[in-house]
């Protein structure tokens, strides 16, 4: 019988390789990645919540502001990505 937890043991054996590869990254790339992830998460949450508030509750002011803020955060993600890619 296949034990899915046996795959976890194999993954933990390679954790040293992952840590070594992360340590090789330039500091600015690491922080840019974390910033892009945070902006993407906030952007997706705000944009989707804003659309739901407008669509289901009719709260145009609050929902619209959240949607626009979310789109701006997603745009910030693109800016961070392009800046690091150069």
């Amino acid at each position: 019988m296949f034990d899915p937890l046996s795959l976890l043991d194999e993954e933990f054996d390679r954790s040293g390789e992952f840590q070594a590869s992360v340590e090789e990254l330039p500091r600015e790339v690491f922080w840019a990645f974390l910033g892009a992830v945070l902006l993407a998460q906030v952007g997706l949450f705000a944009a989707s919540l804003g659309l739901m508030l407008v669509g289901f509750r009719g709260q145009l002011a609050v929902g619209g502001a959240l949607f626009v803020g979310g789109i701006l955060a997603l745009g910030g993600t693109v800016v961070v990505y392009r800046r690091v890619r150069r």
Side-chain angles (χ1 to χ4, degrees):
M1 177 155 80
F2 176 70
D3 179 21
L5 295 178
S6 66
L7 295 175
L8 291 178
D9 294 335
E10 294 173 11
E11 292 294 324
F12 288 133
D13 291 341
R14 287 184 259 159
S15 64
E17 295 173 18
F18 176 72
Q19 184 175 0
S21 63
V22 169
E23 289 173 355
E24 292 175 6
L25 280 176
R27 189 174 193 88
E28 61 271 2
V29 171
F30 176 74
W31 286 110
F33 173 75
L34 288 180
V37 167
L38 181 64
L39 281 171
Q41 292 293 320
V42 168
L44 287 172
F45 177 73
S48 61
L49 181 61
L51 283 177
M52 286 190 288
L53 284 174
V54 170
F56 295 128
R57 293 191 152 202
Q59 295 178 348
L60 188 60
V62 175
L66 278 172
F67 178 73
V68 169
I71 295 300
L72 289 174
L74 290 172
T77 304
V78 173
V79 169
V80 168
Y81 172 76
R82 288 185 178 169
R83 189 177 298 163
V84 169
R85 189 148 187 215
R86 287 185 200 173

